Amino acid sequence: MAKSRNNLLGVGGQRKKLSRAEQQGAGSARDADRKAAESKKQELVRKMRERAEAQAATTAEPGEQGGPAQS
């Protein structure tokens, strides 16, 4: 028996299940959690960059800022 190429049932992925609140138009708690996590991540990245810049500034002496040593 030949395979049917007309049957596209199941093609295109799955839809997420909506809660009652989401069906009624209320905001999703999932979206709020995602935004909170993203803001925490941005804050953490900012703090890490500040610490790295401060550490780089304290380890480099004023006369030697990243240039190669010449003999």
Side-chain angles (χ1 to χ4, degrees):
M1 181 175 204
K3 288 186 177 179
S4 172
R5 304 233 183 249
N6 296 334
N7 187 5
L8 297 177
L9 183 64
V11 174
Q14 297 178 350
R15 297 182 184 192
K16 71 174 189 170
K17 306 245 183 206
L18 296 177
S19 67
R20 286 182 184 245
E22 290 173 328
Q23 289 174 0
Q24 294 172 357
S28 168
R30 195 179 298 166
D31 292 337
D33 291 343
R34 193 174 298 129
K35 288 178 184 177
E38 182 65 26
S39 65
K40 285 181 184 179
K41 181 180 175 183
Q42 292 296 329
E43 183 67 19
L44 181 63
V45 169
R46 184 186 63 80
K47 286 181 182 179
M48 289 175 67
R49 284 186 181 148
E50 287 177 357
R51 287 181 187 159
E53 289 172 0
Q55 187 178 13
T58 57
T59 57
E61 294 182 16
E64 304 174 18
Q65 293 202 0
Q70 297 199 5
S71 313

